[in-house]
């Protein structure tokens, strides 16, 4: 009982650190002994360990020049010899004077050799991880914000190791590449795949916290159900100091860029199909609408928001601090502890007021701001995830825990209200789920954060079923069909649908009106948005196609005829398709060999050959293009798919 009470007292501070920072210089991170469960290849590298020990001896004895000498040139670009002592002291200040060394571990991944040295500290041992480059020089180091008890994590009962394989991979390239783990189901692919995006703070690939590893649980659980999963170290973990030294680090660099790189990596794998999903937890869910907006190649099939805030980040932070203060008042705490909590709340209120002050922007930051990197906060100040998601069309699954003390259950209702007009969003509430994505008994008070637990199998099953339902299959389009991938993509995105009898009709022709709707949807046009009013005497005001036609006409992509008609029911020709695609995607160029049936004075000469130059249209085997031939539904899917992915 004494241990639980102590945990309850430090809970509000822990909460503020876990979700309340940008994850640069004010992070919270679990005890890294949890890495024992990672699939990373381990080896004993005496030279690497020697470098780490030399470094620690130097800094503990304050021989700063000796420690700095072990840095590689890349690391020195971010940390000067003058800055080094203050950075080290700031990172180790929460632990006081480090005691005797207790253990050393060496782990290799696709980016670094990482030496983790464990030292005695109060109240628990602390891990200091030194990242070495392939040449054996120090490229970065990671020190958690607080000491935590050793992990007691145990694999879940649904972890069937005979049903999947794991391999080490690297996400991205260059100095900020990230190591990750790809979990692949056994059997014949290609498989649907999910990229996992972390919450705030410098998380590892498993999103470990004390004795929970929710991302590892999700990876093995989904792999057992035939879904590939990619998880990776977060930027602010693997490149902790370098990232923290960037005064303009934003949500874009911290989360979005790497998530998009993870999706691109999955898209390159032959074992992975066209169904690519992103699951964002907490801050990762908050960032998901922005991530979808940045997905210019339209690779992402669907998004899964787990415990993701629907509104402004700073508003949630203030709610957290006020809720923590209210809970503290109900506990039998000493007066000095209550005063400290009230002072902490006053501090947050003052800082949040600075963020919300319209006099300040990311270009004009306030002096005296103390919540870490001010640019990070002001860059996202006006971002409201639910408002952006309301304008998007990518299918979503939004999941929330009833016992979540960091992102309240009421957020699910806010998501529902904001997205009420959308028909491709599913919601699920879990009565016992806490923010760590595990179930807890009784009334939550943060003591449950210290209890070993796993992601409930029901949670994983719901994700699996949602992905399964999102799979489109048509009786007349089998896996061997020449445009199978392209048709599946169009159906998954909601750009083209099949018929009530379960067929797609790949050989049916596409009308001009249907082509307008298809292209406008692919360009993310929402028919509820206002578009220029184009008046065509053969397109009635009540026509479902009018908003799409007006949109394309306004953009100069697709227009009508000189007689004031649009001819919506006229089949679309291949030449017309070439013209609208080149206008929509600004395509230019000519192939080495021109089509024999397209003269230079043909009205679509440039457009047709631009498609060929970009590999979108190959023409017929006899060297002709067939400009007057009618476009089929399968051809429309193929042309548009290639245009979106060129």
């Amino acid at each position: 009982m004494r241990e639980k009470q102590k945990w309850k007292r430090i809970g509000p501070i822990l909460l503020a650190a876990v979700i309340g920072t940008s994850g640069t210089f004010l992070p919270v991170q679990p005890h890294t002994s949890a890495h024992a469960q990672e699939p990373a290849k381990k080896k004993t590298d005496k030279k690497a360990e020697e470098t780490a020990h030399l470094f620690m001896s130097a800094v503990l004895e304050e021989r700063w020049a000796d420690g700095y000498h072990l840095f590689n040139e890349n690391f020195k670009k971010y940390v000067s010899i003058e800055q080094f002592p203050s950075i080290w002291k700031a990172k180790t200040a929460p632990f006081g004077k480090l005691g005797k060394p207790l253990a050393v571990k060496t782990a290799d991944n696709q980016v670094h050799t990482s030496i983790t040295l464990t030292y005695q500290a109060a109240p628990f041992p602390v891990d200091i991880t030194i990242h070495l480059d392939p040449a054996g020089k120090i490229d970065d180091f990671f020190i958690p914000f607080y000491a935590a008890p050793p992990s007691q994590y145990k694999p879940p009962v649904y972890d069937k190791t005979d049903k999947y394989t794991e391999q080490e991979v690297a996400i991205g390239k260059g100095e900020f590449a990230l190591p990750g783990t790809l979990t692949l189901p056994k059997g014949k692919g290609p498989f649907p795949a999910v990229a996992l995006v972390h919450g705030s703070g410098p998380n590892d690939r498993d999103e470990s916290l004390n004795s929970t590893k929710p991302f590892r649980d999700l990876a093995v659980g989904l792999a057992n159900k035939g879904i590939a999963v990619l998880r990776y170290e977060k930027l602010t973990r693997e490149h902790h100091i370098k990232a923290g030294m960037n005064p303009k680090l934003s949500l874009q660099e911290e989360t979005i860029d790497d998530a998009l790189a993870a999706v691109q990596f999955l898209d390159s794998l032959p074992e992975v199909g066209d169904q690519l999903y992103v699951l964002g937890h907490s801050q990762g869910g908050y960032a998901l609408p922005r991530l979808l907006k940045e997905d210019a190649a339209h690779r992402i099939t669907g998004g899964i928001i787990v415990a993701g805030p629907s509104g402004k980040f700073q508003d949630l932070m203030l709610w957290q601090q006020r809720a923590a203060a209210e809970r503290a008042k109900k506990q039998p705490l000493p007066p000095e502890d209550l005063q400290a909590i009230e002072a902490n709340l006053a501090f947050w209120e003052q800082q949040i007021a600075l963020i919300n002050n319209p006099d300040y922007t990311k270009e004009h930051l306030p002096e005296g701001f103390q919540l870490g990197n001010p640019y990070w906060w002001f860059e996202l100040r006006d971002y409201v995830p639910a408002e952006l998601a309301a304008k998007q069309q990518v299918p979503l699954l939004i999941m929330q825990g009833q016992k979540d003390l960091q992102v309240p259950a009421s957020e699910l209702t806010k998501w529902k209200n904001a997205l009420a007009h959308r028909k491709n969003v599913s919601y699920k509430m879990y009565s016992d789920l806490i923010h760590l994505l595990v179930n807890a008994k009784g009334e939550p008070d943060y003591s449950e954060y210290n209890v070993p637990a796993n992601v409930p199998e029901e949670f994983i099953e719901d994700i699996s079923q949602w992905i399964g339902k999102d799979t489109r299959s048509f009786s007349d389009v089998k896996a061997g069909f020449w445009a199978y991938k392209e048709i599946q993509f169009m159906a998954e995105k909601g750009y083209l649908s099949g018929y009530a009898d379960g067929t797609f009709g790949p050989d049916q022709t596409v009308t001009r009106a249907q082509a307008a709707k298809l292209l406008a949807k692919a360009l993310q046009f929402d028919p509820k948005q206002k578009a220029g009013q184009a008046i065509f005497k053969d397109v009635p005001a009540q026509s479902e196609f009018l908003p799409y036609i007006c949109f394309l006409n306004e953009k100069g992509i697709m227009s009508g005829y000189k007689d004031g008609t649009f001819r919506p029911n006229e089949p679309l020709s291949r030449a017309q398709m070439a013209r609208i695609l080149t206008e929509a995607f600004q395509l230019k160029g000519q192939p080495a060999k021109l089509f024999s049936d397209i003269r230079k004075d043909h009205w679509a000469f440039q457009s047709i050959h631009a498609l060929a130059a970009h590999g979108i249209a190959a023409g017929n085997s006899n060297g002709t293009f067939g400009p007057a031939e009618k476009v089929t539904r399968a051809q429309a899917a193929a042309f548009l798919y290639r245009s979106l992915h060129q």
Side-chain angles (χ1 to χ4, degrees), residues 580-643:
I580 64 175
L581 289 178
T582 54
E583 291 294 331
F585 298 99
Q586 297 296 297
L587 303 175
K588 295 180 180 180
Q590 283 191 7
K593 186 176 182 180
L594 303 181
F595 294 112
S596 61
D597 60 340
I598 306 297
R599 295 172 47 177
K600 287 188 176 181
D601 60 350
H602 190 284
W603 65 271
F605 176 89
Q606 297 292 342
S607 298
I608 290 170
H609 288 109
L611 288 195
H614 287 269
I616 296 170
N620 301 313
S621 59
N622 62 359
T624 64
F625 181 79
E629 293 177 12
K630 308 310 178 186
V631 177
T632 67
R633 283 166 58 83
Q635 290 171 342
F639 283 149
L640 184 54
Y641 177 91
R642 295 167 193 165
S643 298

Side-chain angles (χ1 to χ4, degrees), residues 350-379 381:
Q350 186 267 342
Q351 294 293 301
I352 299 299
L354 284 177
I355 294 173
N356 290 329
N357 188 332
D359 292 339
Y360 300 114
T361 66
K362 64 182 181 181
E363 289 81 21
H364 176 56
L365 300 169
E367 295 182 5
F369 188 79
Q370 301 179 54
L371 294 179
N373 184 344
Y375 187 91
W376 187 93
W377 288 93
F378 281 86
E379 190 275 336
R381 176 183 66 183

Side-chain angles (χ1 to χ4, degrees), residues 276-278 288-289 291-293 295 298-305 388-398 419 422-426 466 470 472 489 492-495 521 524:
L276 301 179
Y277 299 86
V278 174
L288 190 57
L291 197 159
L292 294 175
K293 183 180 180 181
D295 179 29
H298 304 285
R299 291 187 175 96
I300 300 173
T301 305
I304 304 168
I305 297 174
L388 180 56
K391 302 174 184 177
Q392 298 172 333
Q393 296 299 320
V394 177
L396 294 175
L397 171 62
I398 303 179
L419 307 182
R422 290 189 50 179
K423 305 302 181 184
N424 59 350
V425 183
S426 301
W466 182 75
D470 197 48
R472 308 294 193 269
F489 176 86
E492 289 162 4
K493 291 294 186 182
Y495 302 158
K521 291 178 73 173
Q524 303 301 306

Side-chain angles (χ1 to χ4, degrees), residues 60-72:
L60 291 176
E61 296 171 11
E62 298 191 353
R63 292 184 284 106
W64 304 112
D66 292 344
Y68 193 79
H69 176 71
L70 299 172
F71 290 4
N72 65 16

Side-chain angles (χ1 to χ4, degrees), residues 53-171:
H53 284 298
L54 286 173
F55 175 75
M56 289 303 300
S57 295
V59 296
L60 291 176
E61 296 171 11
E62 298 191 353
R63 292 184 284 106
W64 304 112
D66 292 344
Y68 193 79
H69 176 71
L70 299 172
F71 290 4
N72 65 16
E73 294 305 311
N74 181 53
F75 198 16
K76 289 178 181 178
K77 290 191 307 184
Y78 296 90
V79 178
S80 68
I81 181 63
E82 293 78 17
Q83 294 170 317
F84 177 36
S86 59
I87 291 173
W88 181 266
K89 291 177 181 179
K91 302 300 287 184
T92 57
F95 313 110
K97 185 177 181 179
L98 296 179
K100 63 180 181 179
L102 301 176
V104 58
K105 293 180 181 179
T106 302
D108 286 336
N109 58 46
Q110 296 293 308
V111 177
H112 290 131
T113 294
S114 299
I115 312 297
T116 299
L117 301 108
T118 305
Y119 288 85
Q120 185 61 55
F124 302 109
V126 60
D127 289 344
I128 297 175
T129 300
I130 314 298
H131 296 305
L132 280 68
D133 67 14
K137 302 287 282 186
I138 295 176
D139 186 51
D140 214 309
F141 56 81
F142 173 74
I143 304 174
F145 184 67
Y146 78 107
S151 174
Q152 300 178 51
Y153 171 82
K154 294 181 180 179
V157 295
Y158 50 78
D159 183 0
K160 309 297 183 183
T161 57
D162 60 330
K163 291 188 176 182
Y164 65 86
T165 61
E166 291 196 321
Q167 62 188 71
E168 284 288 307
V169 298
I171 307 303

Side-chain angles (χ1 to χ4, degrees), residues 166-213:
E166 291 196 321
Q167 62 188 71
E168 284 288 307
V169 298
I171 307 303
K173 298 178 180 179
E175 62 179 317
F176 288 109
L178 299 172
T181 300
L182 175 66
T183 308
L184 282 172
K186 287 185 177 179
K188 185 178 180 180
F191 305 103
V194 180
L196 305 182
V197 182
H198 329 70
S200 59
N203 287 290
D204 66 14
R205 70 191 72 189
D206 296 330
E207 213 180 40
S208 307
L209 185 60
N210 291 334
S211 296
T212 61
K213 297 164 77 73

